[in-house]
Amino acid sequence: MSSSRARIGVDVGKSLIQALGSDCATAAEIARLLEGGLVELATDHALSGKNPASVERVARDFAERGWLVFDRSSWRRSEASLPVGLSDFLSGAAAMRASSDGQERAEVVVTLPPAPSEISKVLPRVGPVHASIARTDDEIGRIARSAVNTLTIMSPFVNEQGAEFAMAMFDVCSAPNKLLITRMAGTTRPVVERMIPCMTAARVKVLDYLVDAGDGYETFHAKVVIADGDLAYVGSANLTRYARHSMELGVLVQGRAARAVSALVRSVERISRPVVLR
């Protein structure tokens, strides 16, 4: 290992907190093990009851920073040195998050109409807060890349461009379980049917939430993208892409709110029917 060890700078500290979020406690424990001389971390390593998906996300983040490398079935320490005080810093970040656990954390996510639009002209005038609003596609991509076990995309309406976007998200996702939940009705049905061979080849499971209720159908209008029950987008954006001038608005949620969304999505999975090749 290199003997040159730098302390955590402001930029690195901010990027750790932003990237790891609710995984800071897991990251602190892994950092402490590495600081104590741990050389190898198996992919199924149990850390005091920590979520395996959380362990995997931290290992990936540490690998991107050059502190770990993946070797067949395990993560190994690299030659790069850890910043001085890494575990203590992460423990402090985890404690700060725990102290505000009663507060729900959410990030506003938006798709604005193509410029020049009336909303894009007015929005900057209401204050600098508009600069913190994230782009829908960017955040959905982040959710897809962060998924370790399961990525679920839920949209009642799908068109050709939207189906291509969904496939792009599934392609950048390394999770073994990938699901698309839609409703096989109207113009969505032929689009999804044409995409079934491609999705089957990519091991994407397609589910239809359209249940005969006698006097109509039980179905859904929610739009959700969720990874591992930990991070979720909930908003107005369908898997439909048009050259239209409309705004889409949603929120990115973590923690208890994401777990509540996950419970609803799991319930939908249980009552939906698999869509298969005919």
Side-chain angles (χ1 to χ4, degrees), residues 47-65:
L47 295 175
S48 302
K50 300 294 185 188
N51 185 334
S54 178
V55 174
E56 180 74 11
R57 285 193 295 268
V58 172
R60 288 181 184 178
D61 180 83
F62 281 15
E64 289 178 1
R65 299 174 193 277

Side-chain angles (χ1 to χ4, degrees), residues 12-28 50 54 57-58 61-62 65 89-98 100-101 105 107 142 146 230-231 252-255 259:
V12 173
K14 285 183 177 179
S15 71
L16 280 165
I17 293 172
Q18 291 172 352
L20 295 171
S22 59
D23 293 324
C24 281
T26 302
K50 300 294 185 188
S54 178
R57 285 193 295 268
V58 172
D61 180 83
F62 281 15
R65 299 174 193 277
F89 173 83
L90 291 168
S91 292
M96 287 181 64
R97 289 185 64 89
S100 60
D101 235 7
R105 288 177 292 274
E107 180 181 356
R142 181 160 75 93
S146 75
D230 296 330
L231 180 64
L252 195 70
V253 295
Q254 288 183 284
R259 289 191 290 274

